[in-house]
Amino acid sequence: MLKQIFNKLPKKSSKTDSDELSRSSESPQAAGKSQQRSNGGGASLKRASSSAVFPASMVSGIEPLVPFKDVPNAEKMNLFVSKLSLCCVTFDFTDPSKNIADKDVKRKTLVELVDFVASGSMRFSEPAILAMCRMCAINLFRVFPPNYRANGVVASGGENDDDDPMFDPAWPHLQLVYELLLKFISSSCLDAKVAKKYIDHSFISKLLELFDSEDPRERDCLKTILHRVYGKFMVHRPFIRKSINNIFYRFVIETEKHNGIAELLEIFGSVISGFALPLKEEHKIFLWRVLIPLHKPKSLGVYFQQLSFCITQFLEKEPKLASIVISGLLKYWPVTNSQKEVMFLGELEEILEGISMVEFQRIMVPLFLRLGCCINSLHFQVAERTLFLWNNDHIVNLIAHNRHAILPIIFPALERNIKSHWNPAVVNLTHNIRKMFVEMDEKLFVSCHAQYKEDEAILILEAEKRKEAWKQLEQVASLKPVIGNTAVLVSPLMT
């Protein structure tokens, strides 16, 4: 039976190793069928006259189930390649009762491979690197099923607390493959100059596609692996940044659906911390065109912490960007989503804590026009969070130095809160801030108060004029006879 199976193996040799890797990643099922084991799991693989990926000399006389300790050092790398080839067989993990013995053999082989790579006993040959990339491609690169909960998640503005995360039934097996790939990339025995031919743009693109997995454990592993790839393969760094940017663009502009935005932002947080000064124009464009628009989607709460960290990292590198960031926040400020508004206010306070006086003066007028609206918000958390900004000493100092421009903007909002806000806590906070302004500059406060009274009187007068004008129109309309299809002004019923 085994001889018949091996006779069916493809005997056409590949032109290049990299071509073979791309073909194997395109059809993992076909590649997986090329390796077979007996049902008991204890029988050995026979020597094949030719292999679709490896030359016959690479697997000749090597038994994949033999432990590494039982072979001489000269044969260990050949055994490593043979065991990787054995692990290219794929199984259906949705049914736990299928192929139990075979799955156990593969699991033990993967564990043995992880231990061998972690030991760092010898440098990896080029065929070994190819075999590793091919095995990972067959086991990891796959198409995810449709996400039937996606519409509900987006509509609710983030992850639904009632929905448990989706866990892949194959995770115990996938975890070993991810652990093996991580240790392989992190190993000092891997020559990056050789490996970059196989861990290429195509391989990295496939890794990035896996970030849309619903399993948070898989995304966490991918995050660590991609970070190691970024650190080890400097030649691929521009491509990785560009590819992640494209994912962000598609998320913000087209779909607003992606499971791995938080993890990708976490990777970028550490990448930004390594940017050299002065910042390149490419990085500033990334801030303006990618990070700031990421505040727009409804699901901001899922990745807000990581996004805020990236923004903070940029401002630590170049504080002059603070006014640009605040302008972007004002551009995407949520008007009807109170939860997002509270998030924006928290991030705004963090930015204002480190802003310079010059940058603050550039954006203080539009900023406090928006904060005035937030102070009058009927959602008490928004109003309260805005008023809490005055508890920050640095922000109070900035306001005090520019009070002649800020107080006239903010004063009407404070007065309206005191007169009509429904929440007692908000009213008390407003009184405290009002008192703070009096102590800061009583003369300016009195001037603003007088101006507010004048403006209120003008508004009342205009309202009365409008009311009188409508009364006159109604009276004229009631005296005019109705002819044909002429519209009739109906007075409201007196109740």
Side-chain angles (χ1 to χ4, degrees), residues 168-182:
D168 195 318
W171 175 248
H173 156 77
L174 292 173
Q175 183 181 22
L176 288 172
V177 180
Y178 277 121
E179 185 179 356
L180 177 58
L181 179 58
L182 175 60

Side-chain angles (χ1 to χ4, degrees), residues 362-416:
R362 288 179 181 175
I363 46 85
M364 63 183 180
V365 173
L367 173 61
F368 278 88
L369 286 171
R370 171 53 60 188
L371 291 180
C373 297
C374 294
I375 287 173
N376 292 144
S377 174
L378 293 177
H379 195 291
F380 80 96
Q381 288 181 336
V382 175
E384 193 174 55
R385 187 67 186 84
T386 308
L387 294 168
F388 279 155
L389 293 174
W390 273 262
N391 291 339
N392 189 299
D393 293 337
H394 182 66
I395 296 175
V396 170
N397 184 52
L398 292 171
I399 293 172
H401 279 84
N402 300 278
R403 59 187 179 275
H404 292 282
I406 293 172
L407 184 56
I409 297 172
I410 216 77
F411 190 87
L414 297 175
E415 290 298 308
R416 284 193 290 269

Side-chain angles (χ1 to χ4, degrees), residues 2 31 75 78 90 104 110 145 150 178 182 195 211 238 255 297-298 364 375 430 434-435:
L2 285 174
E75 292 294 333
N78 289 346
T90 57
D104 189 57
L110 285 169
Y178 277 121
L182 175 60
F211 273 91
T255 65
K298 295 178 181 179
M364 63 183 180
I375 287 173
T430 307
R434 195 172 181 270
K435 184 180 178 181

Side-chain angles (χ1 to χ4, degrees), residues 191-203:
D191 187 350
K193 292 181 180 178
V194 177
K196 70 181 181 182
K197 292 192 294 184
Y198 306 105
I199 302 177
D200 56 2
H201 290 182
S202 175
F203 188 90

Side-chain angles (χ1 to χ4, degrees), residues 334-347:
V335 179
T336 59
N337 190 329
S338 299
Q339 289 182 337
K340 281 183 67 175
E341 211 163 357
V342 172
M343 292 181 204
F344 272 53
L345 289 165
E347 185 174 3

